[in-house]
Amino acid sequence: MRVLFVASEVAPFAKTGGLGDVAGALPQRLAERGHDVRVVMPLYPRVRAHAPDLETVVSELAIELGATRVVVSILEGTFPGTRAPVYFVRCPGLYDRPSIYTQDADEHLRFVVLSWASLLLCQRLGFSPDIVHANDWQTALLPLLLKTAFAWDRLFERTRSVLTIHNIGHQGAFDARILAETGLAGSAQHFHQDQLREGRINLLLTGILYANALTTVSPTYALEIQRPEHGAGLDAFLRERAGVLFGILNGVDENAWSPEGDAHIAQRYSADSLEGKEVNKRDLVRSAGLAYHSHVLVFGVVSRLAWQKGFDLCFGVLPRVLARRPVQLVVLGTGEPKYEDFFRGLSRQFPSQVAYRAAFSEPLAHKVEAGADSFLMPSRYEPCGLNQMYSLRYGTPPVVHRTGGLADTVTPFDRRTGEGNGFVFEHFDEAGFAYGVDQALRTWGTGRGEDRARWQRLQRNGMRLRFGWDERVTRYEQIYRSVQPPGPAQV
Ligand code: ADP
Ligand code: GLC
């Protein structure tokens, strides 16, 4: 199949979170199966570090969006390691900014342009996609573009669209004044009419209404977003489309994330050589400026510090735990000031126990996964979550809230039977989180002797699991096929 895969971030070129990881891995796995996959993303300044040799394939592409005219060019590169092509939309005026996402007044335009450019590129290349795969609100206009502005072109006659919802908390909800700049002012009747009357346009909703199939990134989240509690206002629309909404758990890119092959960590290890993990623990705590004691439990955090991630629960719980127990904590993450301030404050209050790095660092993220004993992920909601899967894989049993993809991957450890791979709390409140942390501490015990043997059993339960892409890619292929129109494909 010919697949056009469009995303606002794609690892290794640019990444702020799991979308980048998935948009990097899934197209490459599809390409390995013989599909003709073309990835399109913006040319952010940081891309150049991972793609030094880019070739201009379209030097000037004019996009008319009402009174706004944007001219872009398109550069072609490939993923390092595979030959799958990646097209970068160059438009310094829109993409040369300090961060991938902004609060700027033209945020809508930055990604409307990406969506338009990707279809215009198909026309220039004569590439007739069977599937246009859009991701999150940034590219959720694509299904409607195919049904309106590009419907005249026979190139797209057989093209069907799939929209993956990685996070319903971000919807691309804008003032309806942006209508002209979607380039679809003449198709205003296709936007949700009540919202338009109220002066709003919601790009994710537009995608939900028009995509031929919808996917989200775990089975539990697929159910959760159909209920008011987690639907962020879109649950009714998703219930209407439940017949074409599929929950597919993300995979883990084993090339990047496995303790046996990780290039960033002090020593590689496996379930059979857990001494290797101990070397990473020593490396992590020492380089974080803490003293290393093998029997002291080290918690790790790697995260965007956003409301979604539930760190509010740490405010009351962690100071109490740190004051009473000799545990240590290493945190890597940036985001909302109140969480950054909290972890900074914690490291000052407990300087021999807590280290906080306010940075985005790929190498350090790997070191925390490998070096911590247990991983904290108290997310309020979590569509899939990759970090808990990395943690399981690295023998770093996670403490998680039972929600979304966390519920689908982490099972509570039972000290009697030795079954289970982590610590799961049910209620999103301080008592719930305190219970989860306490379960980890009780299981850790003295960190020696029999307690250590029990902990290793828990570690191995998680390390045995594989969250490989293979099965998931097959599911995506099935969904792609299910939306194909009948009749022979064009060549
Ligand atoms: P989300 O996509 O909601 O942020 P995921 O768990 O799916 O959550 O994915 C997060 C990804 O971003 C992981 O690959 C994680 O290692 C990475 N990440 C998050 N914060 C940082 C950071 N400060 N430095 C390096 N990597 C980070
Ligand atoms: C989003 C979600 C996260 C998911 C990632 C990749 O950022 O917050 O749970 O793993 O997308 O699908």
Side-chain angles (χ1 to χ4, degrees):
M1 272 180 275
R2 286 179 295 263
V3 181
L4 180 77
F5 192 99
V6 193
S8 53
E9 56 181 271
V10 179
F13 308 109
K15 157 178 164 182
T16 69
L19 169 61
D21 286 340
V22 173
L26 175 58
Q28 293 192 75
R29 301 291 90 82
L30 283 161
E32 282 165 8
R33 296 234 177 143
H35 302 294
D36 183 354
V37 186
R38 316 287 177 100
V39 175
V40 187
M41 67 174 289
L43 184 68
Y44 306 109
R46 66 185 73 186
V47 165
R48 296 279 188 179
H50 303 276
D53 303 315
L54 297 178
E55 190 195 336
T56 303
V57 286
V58 179
S59 56
E60 201 179 299
L61 204 56
I63 307 174
E64 313 281 348
L65 305 168
T68 307
R69 184 167 193 268
V70 179
V71 180
V72 306
S73 56
I74 312 274
L75 285 71
E76 183 178 349
T78 52
F79 281 106
T82 61
R83 283 175 306 140
V86 185
Y87 297 92
F88 299 95
V89 179
R90 181 173 180 276
C91 184
L94 292 178
Y95 303 132
D96 284 12
R97 310 239 171 128
S99 56
I100 292 182
Y101 306 114
T102 76
Q103 308 277 340
D104 299 344
D106 60 354
E107 188 69 353
H108 62 285
L109 189 63
R110 300 176 69 228
F111 296 107
V112 166
V113 163
L114 172 65
S115 303
W116 272 85
S118 61
L119 296 182
L120 293 168
L121 171 68
C122 290
Q123 291 176 323
R124 288 290 182 98
L125 298 174
F127 180 72
S128 172
D130 298 299
I131 294 293
V132 169
H133 193 147
N135 294 278
D136 277 351
W137 75 261
Q138 288 86 358
T139 48
L141 194 63
L142 279 162
L144 182 57
L145 287 179
L146 286 165
K147 290 197 180 207
T148 53
F150 290 84
W152 62 270
D153 190 343
R154 291 203 54 197
L155 193 72
F156 300 112
E157 197 172 65
R158 296 180 57 82
T159 304
R160 297 296 180 266
S161 58
V162 173
L163 169 66
T164 297
I165 301 168
H166 296 265
N167 192 337
I168 208 155
H170 303 279
Q171 303 183 355
F174 297 103
D175 189 289
R177 275 179 297 209
I178 71 148
L179 177 64
E181 284 189 336
T182 62
L184 293 179
S187 305
Q189 72 276 16
H190 294 293
F191 288 90
H192 192 271
Q193 293 301 293
D194 292 346
Q195 297 212 337
L196 211 52
R197 265 193 298 277
E198 289 161 15
R200 292 179 293 132
I201 281 185
N202 183 316
L203 292 177
L204 187 65
L205 170 60
T206 308
I208 289 172
L209 296 176
Y210 291 102
N212 295 100
L214 302 168
T215 73
T216 186
V217 288
S218 70
T220 295
Y221 196 60
L223 298 175
E224 286 175 343
I225 56 177
Q226 296 182 53
R227 299 192 211 112
E229 193 197 345
H230 286 296
L234 301 183
D235 44 292
F237 302 103
L238 289 161
R239 284 196 298 276
E240 268 175 45
R241 304 224 62 205
V244 292
L245 168 62
F246 307 94
I248 306 176
L249 197 72
N250 288 328
V252 167
D253 186 351
E254 285 276 329
N255 297 329
W257 291 96
S258 79
E260 295 88 356
D262 195 316
H264 295 295
I265 62 179
Q267 180 156 331
R268 297 176 180 177
Y269 61 99
S270 71
D272 300 323
S273 56
L274 284 171
E275 331 70 74
K277 183 166 170 66
E278 202 57 33
V279 175
N280 290 294
K281 174 170 171 177
R282 195 171 54 217
D283 175 60
L284 175 72
V285 292
R286 288 206 177 140
S287 62
L290 305 176
Y292 162 73
H293 307 285
S294 142
H295 64 281
V296 169
L297 174 63
V298 176
F299 285 114
V301 169
V302 178
S303 188
R304 293 184 294 117
L305 299 180
W307 181 84
Q308 170 196 350
K309 300 295 177 182
F311 292 114
D312 306 66
L313 299 186
C314 296
F315 294 178
V317 174
L318 289 185
R320 279 203 298 273
V321 172
L322 287 159
R324 285 186 203 151
R325 308 278 200 126
V327 295
Q328 293 175 324
L329 170 68
V330 178
V331 179
L332 169 66
T334 58
E336 287 178 34
K338 75 167 174 178
Y339 304 116
E340 292 195 358
D341 291 346
F342 167 72
F343 285 119
R344 200 169 291 119
L346 209 59
S347 70
R348 293 201 182 118
Q349 195 183 344
F350 300 97
S352 62
Q353 289 168 276
V354 180
Y356 170 51
R357 270 285 299 280
F360 192 95
S361 162
E362 193 72 39
L364 194 50
H366 289 250
K367 286 178 194 292
V368 174
E369 289 292 2
D373 293 305
S374 173
F375 194 88
L376 299 180
M377 204 161 169
S379 308
R380 216 174 270 272
Y381 73 93
E382 195 61 76
C384 175
L386 294 170
N387 277 118
Q388 85 282 10
M389 296 196 276
Y390 301 156
S391 300
L392 291 168
R393 207 42 202 90
Y394 280 70
T396 311
V399 177
V400 305
H401 173 215
R402 196 161 80 84
T403 184
L406 300 177
D408 291 334
T409 50
V410 185
T411 51
F413 184 67
D414 183 329
R415 287 196 292 278
R416 280 175 310 115
T417 63
E419 301 296 315
N421 60 30
F423 308 100
V424 182
F425 62 95
E426 191 75 26
H427 299 289
F428 185 82
D429 53 29
E430 287 196 351
F433 180 54
Y435 164 83
V437 169
D438 190 56
Q439 289 300 304
L441 288 166
R442 278 170 195 264
T443 305
W444 179 264
T446 60
R448 299 185 172 105
E450 276 177 26
D451 289 349
R452 173 66 68 154
R454 182 175 55 210
W455 188 266
Q456 290 188 341
R457 160 122 197 204
L458 160 67
Q459 289 179 295
R460 292 194 175 105
N461 289 350
M463 296 180 83
R464 255 204 322 268
L465 301 172
R466 288 293 174 275
F467 300 97
W469 270 103
D470 247 23
E471 236 175 87
R472 341 273 185 213
V473 174
T474 305
R475 293 285 313 281
Y476 280 103
E477 287 176 325
Q478 286 164 350
I479 291 166
Y480 288 175
R481 277 197 210 95
S482 74
V483 295
Q484 290 305 294
Q490 317 158 302
V491 182

